[in-house]
Amino acid sequence: LGRSKTPITDLIGTGKNQRRMDEVPVRRVADYSCDDAMFPLRLRPILAKDLARAELDRLFHELEMPLVEVLVELEYNGIRVDCGRLAELSARFGAALEAQEKKIYDLAGHRFNIASPKQLQQVLFEEQKLPVVLRTKTGASTDADVLEELAHVHPLPAEILEYRQYAKLKSTYVDALPQMVHPGTGRVHASFHQEVAATGRLSSSDPNLQNIPVRTEAGREIRSAFVPGEPGWLLLAADYSQIELRVLAHFSRDRNLCEAFARDEDIHTRVAAQVYGVAPAEVTGAMRRQAKAVNFGVIYGQSPFGLARQLGIPKDEAARFIDAYFEGYPEVDEFLRGVLVECDKNGYVKTILGRRRAIQGVRSGAGRQRNLPERTAINTVIQGSAADLIKQAMIATHQRLRRERLPARMLLQIHDELIFEVSPDKLDTLAALVCEEMAGAHPLSVPLKVDVKAGPNWADAKPLTP
């Protein structure tokens, strides 16, 4: 616009000489305040042209702005938490922390501050003589990835990881959530953000409900404290089944992958059967586990070393598994390479609805050993497209709930999952509505599948029969 906005320090100063705003001449406050209104007003047509030029105007007007109304309602609704249940968990997690401390001190041979990276470095690398995996500016790293690797050679790192998990969950959720309950509603009201994650995913804060671990028993116990806000009501959780793999199948048009989803086969069993050359009925649990790791890892550029470490198998075996995967799903390989070629040429990648993310550092002709920008490019296309789809589903579901006036509320979005509360007599109606809107969010070359569960709390929700 050709001029700078007046900084507030020009009006009130800084430090010991800082004034209150009511001590500033009214004329100067008026000019400052008018800038706050006029700058956005004058920027709007300029930014609107930029959006149109980048082909982002439809994304803005048809997805992100209609979503604002949905998020306002989610923030207003909030979700009830059972503070009594959290008090039980606080006592139990506190006891678990004490037990972990004892185990750690016994293994180390003395007491020390487990939360101090410096003292931990001394115990692990000087006293226990464990190998240094990664060095940082402050010395040998003691982050989670390093401790997971060291857990294969000594029991102490595993116990420290367990201690950290309990400490994190206790401080971040079990002890913090009761302090965040609104006294008038008995609920926590998280904030949802559209502009934080570069992929387009929503994020939440105060509290951040998207980091509660779902695969650990402790994480599931925390979810048991989230309950319906009305007496006798139920929580309903609906999440996309393997949404990112379905998006991959849609983009790649891989015949084998699309066929598996069209037949509603277990995709991990199908991949294992294809890679190992056996019938699906002959796939063992170990085979399926390896196929699952490849499905969710290799498409983002996981190396044979990374896969070998994750599965505890030799690197050569992991490399052969990766090669066999791409031989069985050649269009996937072709699509992933194509994403990187386009990104190298354009300087950005696009999601299914046209969201752009600028990415530099993608190499021309990059192979399967991918650097961070290359992994980011592929992750943005797949994960960002999944984010577009659930945002569309949220808008459509919100509009249906209003139109049909169901005794139900949308409460949370956690990545690929939506949480509702509903009167029990309308549970089946809500489940059918949500499945219809989520499955029909956007036409794909493979079906979108939605898993629906319901129960008296988030952890104890059980699958609903169709």
Side-chain angles (χ1 to χ4, degrees), residues 356-402:
R356 288 190 186 188
R357 182 179 185 179
I359 296 173
Q360 303 298 322
V362 170
R363 299 165 297 176
S364 177
R368 291 183 197 150
Q369 301 295 310
R370 299 190 181 114
N371 62 22
L372 179 59
E374 289 153 6
R375 293 196 300 274
T376 302
I378 291 168
N379 182 59
T380 297
V381 173
I382 306 265
Q383 193 182 90
S385 295
D388 288 351
L389 295 179
I390 198 163
K391 284 180 175 180
Q392 283 191 308
M394 291 172 73
I395 294 166
T397 303
H398 170 77
Q399 291 170 347
R400 283 277 303 275
L401 287 175
R402 283 207 160 174

Side-chain angles (χ1 to χ4, degrees), residues 45-224:
I46 298 169
L47 296 176
K49 286 178 185 173
D50 287 345
L51 278 175
R53 198 176 301 116
E55 300 177 332
L56 291 167
D57 45 345
R58 281 192 66 187
L59 180 81
F60 178 76
H61 291 294
E62 295 177 16
L63 188 75
E64 295 298 345
M65 289 311 292
L67 187 67
V68 170
E69 182 180 318
V70 184
L71 298 182
V72 165
E73 184 156 307
L74 261 62
E75 293 188 2
Y76 176 80
N77 287 339
I79 186 166
R80 183 175 285 275
V81 295
D82 182 343
C83 292
R85 172 65 174 152
L86 289 173
E88 288 174 22
L89 292 177
S90 181
R92 194 190 309 166
F93 284 15
L97 278 171
E98 287 182 15
Q100 281 303 117
E101 277 184 353
K102 186 173 185 318
K103 286 183 187 176
I104 290 167
Y105 296 152
D106 287 347
L107 286 167
H110 61 88
R111 297 176 66 88
F112 66 98
N113 183 356
I114 302 168
S116 164
K118 189 163 184 175
Q119 291 186 35
L120 198 52
Q121 286 168 4
Q122 182 178 336
V123 169
L124 294 177
F125 305 113
E126 294 178 26
E127 297 174 15
Q128 301 295 329
K129 310 294 183 190
L130 296 181
V132 174
V133 177
L134 178 68
R135 287 198 177 276
T136 66
K137 291 178 182 176
T138 56
S141 173
T142 58
D143 69 14
D145 289 341
V146 167
L147 293 181
E148 281 177 17
E149 191 162 334
L150 293 175
H152 296 295
V153 296
H154 196 281
L156 183 54
E159 300 298 347
I160 292 167
L161 283 170
E162 184 87 356
Y163 175 89
R164 284 183 181 176
Q165 182 198 357
Y166 278 115
K168 171 77 174 171
L169 293 178
K170 189 174 187 295
S171 63
T172 306
Y173 298 108
V174 175
D175 293 341
L177 282 172
Q179 309 303 315
M180 297 180 177
V181 172
H182 189 284
T185 67
R187 299 172 180 243
V188 291
H189 299 265
S191 296
F192 292 91
H193 310 286
Q194 294 165 269
E195 77 298 342
V196 171
T199 58
R201 267 185 162 188
L202 289 176
S203 64
S204 70
S205 65
D206 307 310
N208 177 2
L209 299 174
Q210 300 191 332
N211 281 349
I212 303 174
V214 66
R215 291 182 180 86
T216 66
E217 184 58 36
R220 285 190 289 272
E221 287 189 304
I222 291 171
R223 290 189 169 205
S224 72

Side-chain angles (χ1 to χ4, degrees), residues 19 22 38 47 91 111 113 128 153 176 206 213 233 267 306 328 335 411 423 428 460:
R19 296 185 287 178
D22 64 2
M38 289 303 298
L47 296 176
R111 297 176 66 88
N113 183 356
Q128 301 295 329
V153 296
D206 307 310
W233 280 32
I267 192 66
F335 162 69
L411 307 179
S423 174
D428 292 341
D460 293 333

Side-chain angles (χ1 to χ4, degrees), residues 145-352:
D145 289 341
V146 167
L147 293 181
E148 281 177 17
E149 191 162 334
L150 293 175
H152 296 295
V153 296
H154 196 281
L156 183 54
E159 300 298 347
I160 292 167
L161 283 170
E162 184 87 356
Y163 175 89
R164 284 183 181 176
Q165 182 198 357
Y166 278 115
K168 171 77 174 171
L169 293 178
K170 189 174 187 295
S171 63
T172 306
Y173 298 108
V174 175
D175 293 341
L177 282 172
Q179 309 303 315
M180 297 180 177
V181 172
H182 189 284
T185 67
R187 299 172 180 243
V188 291
H189 299 265
S191 296
F192 292 91
H193 310 286
Q194 294 165 269
E195 77 298 342
V196 171
T199 58
R201 267 185 162 188
L202 289 176
S203 64
S204 70
S205 65
D206 307 310
N208 177 2
L209 299 174
Q210 300 191 332
N211 281 349
I212 303 174
V214 66
R215 291 182 180 86
T216 66
E217 184 58 36
R220 285 190 289 272
E221 287 189 304
I222 291 171
R223 290 189 169 205
S224 72
F226 290 84
V227 296
E230 305 283 348
W233 280 32
L234 299 167
L235 288 188
L236 180 141
D239 74 295
Y240 279 124
S241 170
Q242 299 168 340
I243 180 68
E244 294 180 8
L245 292 176
R246 291 172 192 269
V247 168
L248 175 66
H250 168 76
F251 278 130
S252 69
R253 298 294 202 273
D254 185 273
R255 184 171 53 85
N256 289 324
L257 207 54
C258 289
E259 188 179 89
F261 282 125
R263 293 180 177 179
D264 197 21
E265 295 178 18
D266 182 314
I267 192 66
H268 306 311
T269 299
R270 171 68 179 256
V271 168
Q274 182 101 20
V275 168
Y276 284 106
V278 299
E282 296 171 14
V283 170
T284 65
M287 289 178 180
R288 187 183 182 278
R289 186 169 65 90
Q290 291 187 339
K292 185 174 182 178
V294 170
N295 274 331
F296 289 119
V298 173
I299 58 172
Y300 299 118
Q302 187 177 39
S303 66
F305 175 78
L307 182 63
R309 189 172 68 174
Q310 180 181 345
L311 294 175
I313 60 176
K315 184 180 170 185
D316 291 347
E317 185 181 336
R320 285 195 299 272
F321 200 98
I322 291 169
D323 289 340
Y325 174 87
F326 284 119
E327 282 171 22
Y329 299 88
E331 289 94 347
V332 171
D333 200 16
E334 189 179 324
F335 162 69
L336 299 178
R337 292 177 190 273
V339 168
L340 300 181
V341 167
E342 286 296 302
C343 186
D344 181 42
K345 183 174 78 173
N346 300 327
Y348 62 84
V349 290
K350 292 168 72 172
T351 67
I352 198 167

